[in-house]
Amino acid sequence: MKRFLRNCLLILLLLVTCAGGYIVWQGHEKAQEITAEVSLEQAAQRAMAAADYTPPDRIPETLKEATVAIEDRRFYEHQGLDIIGLLRAAASQFLPDMVRSGGSTIGQQTVKNLYGLFEPTLEIKVAEVFLASQLNDLYTKDEILALYMNIINYGDGHIGITNAARGYFGVEPAGLSQSQCVILAGIPNSPANLQLSNHYEAARNREQLILQAMVREEYISREQADAIWNEPVFLQQSGGAAFFCDIPADAGQVDPDFSLQQGLRDGKVSKGTRQAVQWMG
């Protein structure tokens, strides 16, 4: 009986290994198919040649740190695939106390957006890993991070950090405040549900998570996180209208349970300054 069970386990292991190998082979073939007409380097260079492309040295460090902290905390350590992050993402789907996250690295998200690989198939996911690894061979981490931020969706029709900075705040990326950097870093996770025109409260709640992640990764101190949270955020809208979104009136500390609506109900947010419409000349 023991021999029978052992043989069954060996056969099962062999089948799993063969199936895994086949999936990897399919992903490799798909990666070659994707880059057959336009190589990865050509696709990246086209994006970098865009008139509104912002190079790494013109992107604020706070935006880089906030993005890495919330999207890919081991970005500077792995070569395109984060095994630990993948396992954590899988666990977050079943453990209610964990913040849900995806397993894709910044490199994978970059190649996905370069080639429009939005079909959620296993074959595509494996192809993304091969392409992300190739991307790491072609460019530095800072160049990959800048490329990602120049092609990612920041909601409200703003593709890329230049359009987002101009569209939301009326500035170039280099002119973004720390609070603006952090709130923008959270939007690509779900642009339709975090865009600032109609989901500002949700974006601010995610900003809390990002600040906590930045403290955890030691990019900033708790005191710096509180200071960033207490910075006002200005939103520029078409037609010249701008919304001033205020902070809690008591200038409290970063609190994962705080929400704008709750603050308003509790009297912690001033109605007069929370969303006062101003006109920009």
Side-chain angles (χ1 to χ4, degrees), residues 84-101:
I84 297 175
L86 194 62
L87 294 174
R88 185 182 185 280
S92 72
Q93 308 303 311
F94 302 99
L95 300 178
D97 292 336
M98 291 183 67
V99 178
R100 288 202 171 190
S101 60

Side-chain angles (χ1 to χ4, degrees), residues 26 29 32 34 63-64 73 126 130 133 145 161 163 177 179 183 188 208 211 247 276:
Q26 275 195 316
E29 292 297 301
Q32 291 186 319
I34 290 169
L63 180 58
K64 295 177 183 178
R73 59 190 294 189
V126 176
F130 281 107
S133 177
L145 185 57
I161 190 57
N163 291 320
S177 70
S179 181
I183 203 168
Q208 291 261 8
L211 289 170
I247 58 177

Side-chain angles (χ1 to χ4, degrees), residues 68-134:
V68 170
I70 197 64
E71 289 292 334
D72 189 357
R73 59 190 294 189
R74 280 172 287 274
F75 172 69
Y76 293 104
E77 302 169 17
H78 62 68
Q79 296 302 307
L81 175 65
D82 182 8
I83 298 294
I84 297 175
L86 194 62
L87 294 174
R88 185 182 185 280
S92 72
Q93 308 303 311
F94 302 99
L95 300 178
D97 292 336
M98 291 183 67
V99 178
R100 288 202 171 190
S101 60
S104 295
T105 63
I106 285 175
Q108 288 174 261
Q109 293 178 57
T110 300
V111 297
K112 175 192 292 184
N113 281 271
L114 278 175
Y115 287 102
L117 306 176
F118 301 117
E119 187 179 353
T121 65
L122 187 57
E123 183 184 44
I124 290 292
K125 286 296 181 182
V126 176
E128 285 176 11
V129 173
F130 281 107
L131 294 176
S133 177
Q134 186 180 341

